[in-house]
């Protein structure tokens, strides 16, 4: 399996319904990568510490209880082992302060969640095309070889 198809995608989303919808959208887009789910920012950081290979992409919700997406993004981008992993913010917020703040913290892309399932499917298809067919992702950084 090519490396880009073997790298997992970590979805950080506190809503199980939203996670399931995103998972269905990836399945419809015929994405072959393994999908991992973290239901909170804290769970995401624990998963990243244990996950090998490292994810090729992280989809991160902003508005979660506890360790929210902003703090999770800050922790990911301040960790030398994780900072190369592309982080896509996938959130309902279109607040300019959230957008500016996330890019300032190192987000690679900011996407407002579509309100309907068809819109979500279309957005995920475009994310898949860009991140897994056009962009070249960094290797997972596991030098143990």
């Amino acid at each position: 399996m090519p490396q880009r198809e073997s790298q997992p995608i970590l979805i950080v989303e506190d809503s199980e319904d939203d996670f399931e919808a995103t998972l269905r959208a990836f399945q419809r887009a015929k994405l072959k990568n393994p999908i991992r789910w973290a239901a909170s920012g804290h769970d995401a950081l624990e998963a990243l510490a244990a996950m090998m290979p490292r994810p090729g992409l992280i989809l991160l919700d902003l508005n979660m209880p506890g360790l929210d997406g902003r703090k999770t993004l800050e922790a990911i981008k301040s960790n030398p082992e994780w900072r190369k992993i592309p982080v896509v913010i996938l959130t309902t917020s279109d607040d300019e302060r959230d957008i500016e703040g996330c890019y300032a913290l190192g987000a690679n892309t900011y996407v407002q969640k579509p309100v309907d399932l068809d819109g979500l499917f279309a957005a995920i298809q475009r994310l898949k095309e860009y991140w897994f067919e056009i962009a070249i992702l960094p290797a997972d950084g596991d030098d143990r070889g």
Side-chain angles (χ1 to χ4, degrees), residues 4-132:
R4 65 171 45 196
E5 290 181 6
S6 67
Q7 286 182 288
I9 297 170
L10 178 61
I11 299 175
V12 186
E13 170 61 64
D14 63 315
S15 163
E16 188 171 354
D17 289 343
D18 285 357
F19 167 72
E20 291 292 336
T22 304
L23 185 60
R24 283 196 309 277
F26 273 127
Q27 290 166 341
R28 182 181 278 190
K30 298 185 178 9
L31 191 81
K32 294 178 172 68
N33 301 66
I35 305 288
R36 304 283 186 266
W37 177 35
S40 70
H42 181 74
D43 290 350
L45 298 181
E46 282 187 352
L48 280 169
M51 195 181 291
M52 284 295 167
R54 298 271 185 238
L57 185 67
I58 298 171
L59 295 184
L60 178 60
D61 184 29
L62 277 191
N63 300 314
M64 298 181 291
L67 191 66
D68 71 4
R70 294 157 200 81
K71 294 289 186 195
T72 304
L73 175 63
E74 188 174 13
I76 292 167
K77 292 301 183 178
S78 65
N79 183 313
E81 293 182 31
W82 305 338
R83 73 170 52 132
K84 290 191 307 181
I85 302 169
V87 177
V88 174
I89 304 299
L90 189 59
T91 184
T92 55
S93 173
D94 64 353
D95 187 314
E96 193 61 39
R97 293 169 297 189
D98 285 337
I99 297 166
E100 293 287 332
C102 287
Y103 280 117
L105 290 171
N108 298 85
T109 304
Y110 191 103
V111 177
Q112 187 178 14
K113 279 184 197 172
V115 294
D116 64 1
L117 208 50
D118 286 339
L120 178 64
F121 287 160
I124 293 298
Q125 178 66 39
R126 287 188 200 104
L127 280 173
K128 178 221 175 210
E129 288 167 358
Y130 179 75
W131 287 106
F132 291 96

